[in-house]
Amino acid sequence: MRYSLTRLLPDDGKGISGAWVMTHFRETASGDVETDTEPQTPTEGWQILLESPTHWYRTSPITEILETEETEEGLHITFKTENSIYSWRQFG
């Protein structure tokens, strides 16, 4: 699978395209970091780390899933974090 992530609000175009690895992580109540190395989609309460061979991009915790759409190109999810809105795509 490949992933792309674009920050829509603020509209600064930050993100990553063509990422190969997606990891979820979050801080637990005890202060430990919980990691999911095989997430299927963005999930409320988790942060996303996307990595490509040349760079990486990490979000703050996801607060709300706004829209989910499955197209011929793949899966598209729009979600909100505390300060931003992102467009996430899974393809190939």
Side-chain angles (χ1 to χ4, degrees), residues 26-44:
R26 65 181 170 187
E27 189 173 325
T28 65
S30 65
D32 295 328
V33 175
E34 183 178 3
T35 304
D36 180 358
T37 58
E38 296 183 25
Q40 300 299 309
T41 62
T43 305
E44 287 182 25

